Amino acid sequence: MFKSLRSRLLLSYTVIIAAVLVILTVTLLLVSALSTADRGVATLGKLAAVSLGTRRELNRLYDAGITNEEAILQVLGETASAQDTRILLMRPANLQVVYDTGEKWSGQVFSNMQSLGSAIRTDTNVLAARLRAPDGQIWLLYAQVVPDRHLGGLVLAFAQQEPSAAQFFRDTFLRPLCSAGLVAFLLAILLAFLITRSVARPLQQLAGAATAIAAGDYEQQIAPAGPTEVQQVSASFNSMATQVKASQQAQRDFVANVSHDLKTPLTSVRGWSQAMLDGMIATPQEIQQTAGIIHGEAERMTRMVNQLLDLARIESGQLKLNRELLDLGQLLTQVQRNLALPAQQKDVRLTLDLQPVPPVLGDADRLMQVFTNLTDNALTHTPAGGRVHISLNGHSDRAVNVIVQDTGPGIPADELSRIFERFYQVDKSRARTDERRGSGLGLAITRELVEAHGGRIEARSELGKGSAFQVRLPVGSPEASTITRRR
């Protein structure tokens, strides 16, 4: 019970309405108990109406020539019984009761009356008062103080018991409160229906789309609808669905690439080792050549396994960085030295431009891995006679930039945004014949390592003119002194 959004909204609205009605009820009961003047207004108004009607009836008798006491008293008694009102005849001098339809107040003189004339805005010829009867009960009195000549100069007065606070509340406020509560409850039902309809329908669509994605249909997109919060959830779901689709596609590409990359060296190792076992390779030169091939293929598989292990450690949060203040100039100089021979073998110029920058706080081995990977990629895609340039400069007082730029063929614009995705490879149809064919993990690992250092990496490229990868890292501390290096 009350598990659905609609029922919970309806319950909450009902509770709020009930609480408001209870507060109003208590407040009005207190007002009714404390405001005796207001409590008597309705009763005095009724007595005024009875007084007017009675006088008209008496005038009708007078006009008909009926002036005997018995007929007049009969009219007064019938009116009192019909209107549940007490009718009195009183002496105008001291307001002594001469006649009482209730037959108990005859001879009484009420000198302790509290005037209520201001409550009903009467004129000076009307008496509106609150009085205490001999039995202690409170009555409200309404009278025309001008003596009636047909009643022997007596004053005609009308009295009724003052309503209690509960009775006044019941007669005055209960019906409006019940009507307001009923209207509010109906509005609550309508609002609950409309709100849940605007919220539940998009949520049901989200649930259906999530089920479809779980079943393998990654083409799900939800049109934003409903309140702003639900639209935000829909937008987040669409983004998630797009990322899931891209991730699934990347994993399929990865499986295809890795299976091929593993199959190729394994086939080579198996073939050459089988040839050695079969005695087809016998001379020392052939054995040396075969061992070199097997070793190279083993190294290729080792690199791929190490990349997979690095990625697994990063994704599981097990990667630990040994942070220390580092001179990026020295680190980049070492990268240039390490890759100078491969660059020379490819006939590619590897140049370095170092500006004075503060030290950064980072893991030397991991940052070496980052810049080695970027520079190695640049050398791999730069043709003979080209250039790979590494530059270091300050971005601000809080960050430094390292840019690795090449003069290779460039990256298509539609693929530039995906090059840092796991398992993604640019131009998957183009075979790389060298022994260091990639698996699409290097740039993904590079980005993870840069972000683990609190930095970020960006790429820009232009077809036919080359690519540039920029790494921005925070400085070690604002107080770090500037280190001057030679270019």
Side-chain angles (χ1 to χ4, degrees):
M1 190 176 183
F2 302 119
K3 291 185 178 180
S4 67
L5 178 61
R6 182 172 300 172
S7 61
R8 291 184 178 183
L9 279 176
L10 183 59
L11 175 63
S12 63
Y13 290 156
T14 303
V15 170
I16 292 173
I17 292 170
V20 172
L21 289 177
V22 168
I23 293 173
L24 284 176
T25 300
V26 173
T27 302
L28 292 175
L29 280 173
L30 289 175
V31 170
S32 301
L34 297 175
S35 180
T36 56
D38 293 338
R39 204 161 70 217
V41 169
T43 301
L44 290 173
K46 177 183 176 181
L47 293 177
V50 173
S51 173
L52 180 60
T54 303
R55 290 183 178 280
R56 286 176 179 172
E57 184 64 21
L58 291 177
N59 288 332
R60 187 183 64 79
L61 291 178
Y62 300 154
D63 293 341
I66 303 174
T67 58
N68 60 83
E69 182 179 347
E70 183 179 354
I72 293 174
L73 294 180
Q74 181 180 357
V75 169
L76 296 181
E78 291 175 352
T79 302
S81 177
Q83 300 294 332
D84 190 23
T85 303
R86 204 164 191 161
I87 300 179
L88 311 173
L89 292 176
M90 308 175 71
R91 298 185 188 278
N94 57 3
L95 297 181
Q96 181 182 22
V97 178
V98 176
Y99 172 76
D100 175 16
T101 57
E103 300 179 353
K104 291 183 179 181
W105 292 355
S106 296
Q108 290 289 330
V109 176
F110 294 105
S111 57
N112 60 343
M113 289 188 292
Q114 175 188 357
S115 176
L116 298 176
S118 60
I120 60 172
R121 299 180 182 178
T122 61
D123 56 35
T124 56
N125 294 324
V126 173
L127 172 64
R130 184 171 180 264
L131 60 88
R132 183 178 297 275
D135 57 3
Q137 294 182 340
I138 304 299
W139 289 73
L140 299 175
L141 182 74
Y142 180 90
Q144 293 280 347
V145 296
V146 178
D148 193 319
R149 60 185 179 84
H150 298 289
L151 296 176
L154 298 176
V155 172
L156 183 61
F158 301 83
Q160 198 170 51
Q161 266 191 302
E162 182 184 61
S164 64
Q167 183 181 359
F168 176 74
F169 171 80
R170 184 183 64 249
D171 295 340
T172 308
F173 301 116
L174 184 59
R175 184 183 294 274
L177 280 177
C178 290
S179 299
L182 178 60
V183 172
F185 183 71
L186 294 176
L187 286 176
I189 295 176
L190 179 61
L191 285 174
F193 176 78
L194 293 177
I195 292 175
T196 53
R197 183 179 179 184
S198 65
V199 173
R201 182 175 294 179
L203 292 179
Q204 290 170 353
Q205 293 176 349
L206 284 171
T211 302
I213 288 179
D217 181 5
Y218 304 109
E219 300 293 337
Q220 300 296 317
Q221 292 289 307
I222 302 298
T228 302
E229 293 81 359
V230 179
Q231 292 185 23
Q232 292 174 350
V233 172
S234 299
S236 299
F237 177 87
N238 291 338
S239 177
M240 179 200 70
T242 301
Q243 293 177 9
V244 169
K245 179 182 176 182
S247 177
Q248 290 297 318
Q249 183 61 46
Q251 290 188 26
R252 284 193 291 268
D253 294 342
F254 167 71
V255 171
N257 291 332
V258 170
S259 62
H260 182 274
D261 286 350
L262 287 176
K263 182 179 179 180
T264 301
L266 286 174
T267 301
S268 179
V269 169
R270 180 180 178 183
W272 287 105
S273 61
Q274 186 65 43
M276 293 178 69
L277 291 173
D278 292 341
M280 298 175 62
I281 300 174
T283 67
Q285 184 178 359
E286 291 175 340
I287 293 174
Q288 181 72 21
Q289 182 180 2
T290 301
I293 294 173
I294 293 175
H295 178 75
E297 297 297 345
E299 284 289 329
R300 183 168 154 187
M301 288 188 291
T302 299
R303 284 194 300 271
M304 184 179 299
V305 171
N306 288 335
Q307 285 182 332
L308 290 172
L309 290 175
D310 281 344
L311 190 59
R313 280 193 290 265
I314 292 172
E315 290 180 338
S316 63
Q318 296 179 358
L319 178 67
K320 295 183 179 179
L321 299 177
N322 299 317
R323 297 178 182 272
E324 57 182 342
L325 284 177
L326 300 175
D327 184 342
L328 276 184
Q330 293 180 1
L331 190 146
L332 293 175
T333 300
Q334 186 62 43
V335 171
Q336 183 192 33
R337 291 172 181 170
N338 293 343
L339 296 177
L341 182 58
Q344 184 179 359
Q345 291 173 344
K346 288 200 63 177
D347 191 22
V348 174
R349 289 186 300 137
L350 179 58
T351 58
L352 190 63
D353 180 11
L354 304 178
Q355 299 290 334
V357 296
V360 298
L361 189 64
D363 187 313
D365 293 335
R366 292 301 181 180
L367 289 179
M368 177 69 74
Q369 180 181 354
V370 166
F371 297 118
T372 298
N373 185 46
L374 291 176
T375 307
D376 186 48
N377 280 349
L379 290 172
T380 300
H381 293 93
T382 300
R387 179 191 180 196
V388 173
H389 182 65
I390 306 172
S391 62
L392 170 66
N393 57 74
H395 172 70
S396 65
D397 294 338
R398 299 182 179 181
V400 297
N401 288 334
V402 178
I403 301 175
V404 179
Q405 189 167 5
D406 62 60
T407 57
I411 303 171
D414 58 341
E415 298 194 64
L416 189 61
S417 62
R418 299 192 59 190
I419 59 174
F420 293 107
E421 293 180 10
R422 294 171 176 84
F423 320 127
Y424 189 78
Q425 286 183 306
V426 177
D427 196 3
K428 294 174 282 295
S429 62
R430 182 177 60 190
R432 288 172 57 183
T433 58
D434 67 320
E435 72 282 0
R436 303 184 62 251
R437 179 176 180 177
S439 62
L441 295 173
L443 288 178
I445 293 173
T446 298
R447 183 182 65 177
E448 295 287 352
L449 291 175
V450 170
E451 291 179 352
H453 282 82
R456 66 178 184 179
I457 183 170
E458 298 175 349
R460 59 180 184 270
S461 182
E462 186 175 352
L463 287 177
K465 295 186 178 181
S467 305
F469 289 81
Q470 175 179 283
V471 176
R472 180 167 298 165
L473 295 171
V475 299
S477 64
E479 296 82 11
S481 59
T482 300
I483 301 176
T484 305
R485 308 176 183 87
R486 292 181 302 171
R487 292 187 183 182

